[in-house]
Amino acid sequence: MREVAEEANVSIATVSLVVNDKKNARIGKEARRRVNEAIEKLGYRPNALAKSLVSGSSRFIGLVADAIATTPFAGQIIHGAQDEAWKHGYVLLVANTEGDPEVTDDAINMMVDHQAIGILYSTWYHREIERPAALGSTPTVFVNCYTNEASETAVVPDEEQGGYTATSLLTRKGHQRIAFLNSTEDAPSTVGRLAGYRRALADAGLPFDPSLVLDVTPEQEGGYRATTGVLDRADRPTAVFCYNDRVAMGLYDGVKERGLRIPNDLAVVGFDDQEVIAAHLRPTLTSVALPQYELGVRGVRALLAALDGDPHPGVQRITCPPALRHSI
């Protein structure tokens, strides 16, 4: 700022008034012109952090996540939040904690120190959590997770709707015996997707057969090991809804080992729509996508709405859209 003042032959105070766009300041047009020309010539930019410390507010939104590098999903949450923040003139500050409570507290404190207007707190898989104490009274929206406090705002995938959509894709193709390879995990996804599966069967006028629900580890090996339970039945199902795309990939392996073809002998639907899996299996895998980008967008919108005096406490469930390919 001092260099700008010297270049424009004005005081530092005059530069400050011009930079901060003080409309009522008594500064002549000629002085303003010289200051703006000096700013352009010298490439001057105000110190945003210093301005935020003086004003008590900033154009920062914090995002604290427990895993970024280790999951293909977190990047899309960040992408959606960043795009939406930018639309409203905010910059996203991102911290990865790897689930370490001490690092989490440090990250939150860093956001507060930088005068972030609020924080998006995100987990890499959908689950219930306890509100970190370090958040204190900082405006917060939980993304891909939720607390048991009704006053908190959270945005999460609509797991039941996703399970309903996946199963309905198969019932609409005429399948009447549809197996569900569910996860052994204790998570909202296992409960919600099973509920959606059952509701879709009921809406199609099909009975629920508990023996067609097989619990597997949510990975490729889990799907492969389930092949026997799916195929070695007198009343073999004609279609399978898999808890995730990794399970579906393992099932593909087992089906091909038996000399059977997908979808001719067995239709398959996955979940998550992991591009690296679903789009590269042969045949390509129909899946239901986790709305990670939209979760980031909605998280920012919910935070800004709350700051504008229009909070929407409770859990907002975001639709999981189908990604149609060639496995059904």
Side-chain angles (χ1 to χ4, degrees):
M1 192 179 289
R2 184 178 294 108
E3 292 173 0
V4 171
E6 291 173 355
E7 177 73 22
N9 195 26
V10 298
S11 69
I12 293 176
T14 297
V15 175
S16 177
L17 291 171
V18 173
V19 166
N20 290 290
D21 199 24
K22 300 294 184 180
K23 301 294 186 184
N24 297 324
R26 295 182 178 179
I27 303 173
K29 292 183 178 180
E30 176 62 19
R32 283 186 184 272
R33 182 189 64 77
R34 294 202 309 273
V35 169
N36 285 322
E37 287 181 353
I39 287 172
E40 183 174 354
K41 177 181 177 180
L42 299 175
Y44 170 77
R45 290 181 60 84
N47 186 319
L49 178 57
K51 290 177 67 177
S52 70
L53 292 173
V54 171
S55 66
S57 63
S58 74
R59 305 303 293 179
F60 298 138
I61 293 174
L63 188 150
V64 178
D66 66 353
I68 295 175
T70 57
T71 169
F73 303 127
Q76 283 299 306
I77 291 178
I78 294 169
H79 190 188
Q82 181 174 269
D83 285 353
E84 189 66 17
W86 192 253
K87 286 180 184 177
H88 296 276
Y90 290 93
V91 174
L92 201 66
L93 297 179
V94 181
N96 179 34
T97 71
E98 296 298 339
D100 185 314
E102 185 174 345
V103 176
T104 298
D105 288 348
D106 289 344
I108 292 170
N109 290 331
M110 181 270 288
M111 303 295 182
V112 173
D113 290 344
H114 281 71
Q115 303 289 340
I117 63 166
I119 292 177
L120 305 182
Y121 186 90
S122 179
T123 57
W124 80 269
Y125 73 92
H126 178 194
R127 68 182 188 270
E128 181 179 351
I129 64 166
E130 292 187 9
R131 179 186 177 96
L135 285 171
S137 59
T138 304
T140 303
V141 171
F142 295 92
V143 178
N144 209 34
C145 57
Y146 61 97
T147 73
N148 61 6
E149 296 293 331
S151 60
E152 302 280 16
T153 300
V155 289
V156 302
D158 191 336
E159 304 284 5
E160 182 173 342
Q161 170 270 317
Y164 182 91
T165 296
T167 310
S168 296
L169 291 173
L170 296 168
T171 60
R172 288 200 294 268
K173 288 286 188 177
H175 294 284
Q176 298 188 8
R177 291 193 58 74
I178 302 168
F180 176 32
L181 302 187
N182 201 2
S183 171
T184 54
E185 294 178 319
D186 180 15
S189 52
T190 60
V191 176
R193 293 173 198 180
L194 176 60
Y197 165 79
R198 296 188 64 164
R199 183 161 61 87
L201 293 178
D203 284 356
L206 300 174
F208 170 66
D209 181 352
S211 71
L212 288 176
V213 178
L214 287 73
D215 291 334
V216 303
T217 54
E219 56 196 16
Q220 184 175 1
E221 188 62 28
Y224 177 75
R225 287 196 297 263
T227 305
T228 298
V230 171
L231 299 180
D232 291 351
R233 301 173 54 113
D235 52 354
R236 192 175 79 191
T238 61
V240 181
F241 162 34
C242 295
Y243 172 80
N244 63 25
D245 294 345
R246 288 174 293 157
V247 169
M249 182 164 54
L251 182 64
Y252 264 54
D253 294 338
V255 169
K256 289 177 181 178
E257 278 189 2
R258 300 291 188 96
L260 302 176
R261 294 179 300 164
I262 296 171
N264 304 65
D265 300 306
L266 188 73
V268 180
V269 172
F271 206 106
D272 291 351
D273 192 33
Q274 282 189 253
E275 181 72 16
V276 69
I277 296 175
H280 297 285
L281 289 173
R282 293 292 179 268
T284 55
L285 176 66
T286 291
S287 188
V288 172
L290 284 170
Q292 304 294 345
Y293 182 91
E294 190 66 17
L295 290 177
V297 170
R298 297 290 190 91
V300 170
R301 288 180 185 172
L303 181 62
L304 295 179
L307 292 169
D308 286 341
D310 185 27
H312 296 278
V315 177
Q316 301 176 26
R317 291 180 171 81
I318 310 303
T319 298
C320 300
L324 301 176
R325 296 189 180 90
H326 301 100
S327 62
I328 62 174

